[in-house]
Amino acid sequence: MKVLIVGANGQIGKHLVSFIKDNESLQAKAMIRKEEQASYFEDLGAETAIVDLEGDIDTIAKAAEGVDAVVFTAGSGPHTGKDKTIMVDLDGAVKTVEAAKKAGVKRFIMISSFDTRRQAILDAPDSFAPYVAAKHYADEWLRDTDLEYTIIHPGALTNDSGTGSVKVGNDLEVAEVPREDVARVIVAALENDSTIGKEFQVVGGETPVEDAVKSV
Amino acid sequence: MKVLIVGANGQIGKHLVSFIKDNESLQAKAMIRKEEQASYFEDLGAETAIVDLEGDIDTIAKAAEGVDAVVFTAGSGPHTGKDKTIMVDLDGAVKTVEAAKKAGVKRFIMISSFDTRRQAILDAPDSFAPYVAAKHYADEWLRDTDLEYTIIHPGALTNDSGTGSVKVGNDLEVAEVPREDVARVIVAALENDSTIGKEFQVVGGETPVEDAVKSV
């Protein structure tokens, strides 16, 4: 299964490409913004595609041609300018969804935010609410398609080493989760079609990733 | 016909309330953010509702109860912080649409931006693109409902006195249009059910507003 990773140069993306390298049934295609980022991924055995997520849908669709799944893990992050929040976290995500449709790729994994429900927009601090709103609309757009989607809602991301174990659910208390473990969850979701049409939160926990993902 | 005007305290909103005052078949309910804005509208014979557009849908729905149409003309404008772009121009608009549905109000007039098509997001200067994107998604949300909508796409808004004449169309060259004339176009759209399910651009022109709106 060949997987286009949109936002491969982010920290979750880099972990994901590493895990895919060690996985016999998966193959990575890293979508990145700058030529100089390519050698890092080529050294990990991944194909690369240089695409600006702020460009048009056709260019993203071209990168998605011939892959079996798309993972959207690009993000401006909550602390960039709010212009990037709407252009990347919302519009970049929607364009990637439309590009997958155009390229005929059915499987789509969205890395969302911990809680993107309407109430969470209201409850968020002013500085964070626009990010939650952007992710809310991106998730809504994906749900409204015929794609075989899985939406993953990770807790507070850390750069700690992963433990290989997590907790999944739909009304969890927010808690930390290492980016490395989120990348493991993405691999497990790609390998478990029972996650199609579902979404779930992920925080640090005691259940091995494989088992946790199978339980959703 | 009672009309809830969301964003009544904006310049288009104020012109609109004035025109409605002089129109026998229309009645205005001004949705405003601050108590101290109320007397201005009460002096024009309008009801008022104090609602924060960054609040919840239920509060907006309560303001919409018993009206026959909703006009969304609130806007952060292209020059406010980009956080307000997503919270007001996108999320505020979507919440107003959902509030209209909840209150059982079918008729909805959206004041959009001149061109909110995907290509316009790509073509816009970096500083303006987030605003275009926000309006793009708000318009898309409205089109996807069963509401009896009209989407008005005005050109470059000015504070010049209106002329009472405009040009309407769907692939116009961008040009200036006085806010006062946009308010006239809203009144004409409310009075012409032939505009239901349609959208059109408006710039300054030579055709009397009534005739121009009937032609769409």
Side-chain angles (χ1 to χ4, degrees), chain A residues 63-77:
Chain A
E65 265 170 30
V67 309
D68 304 291
V70 171
V71 174
F72 185 88
T73 182
S76 72

Side-chain angles (χ1 to χ4, degrees), chain A residues 192-205:
Chain A
N192 285 282
D193 283 353
S194 62
T195 59
I196 289 173
K198 294 191 183 149
E199 49 191 292
F200 55 89
Q201 295 173 321
V202 186
V203 296

Side-chain angles (χ1 to χ4, degrees), chain A residues 13-44:
Chain A
K14 283 180 167 173
H15 284 299
L16 180 55
V17 173
S18 289
F19 287 131
I20 288 179
K21 178 181 182 296
D22 298 328
N23 184 307
E24 286 191 356
S25 61
L26 299 177
Q27 199 182 332
K29 182 171 182 179
M31 191 172 119
I32 52 184
R33 197 169 40 183
K34 296 176 186 155
E35 186 70 49
E36 62 259 36
Q37 298 164 342
S39 63
Y40 175 90
F41 296 99
E42 285 158 4
D43 290 349
L44 289 171

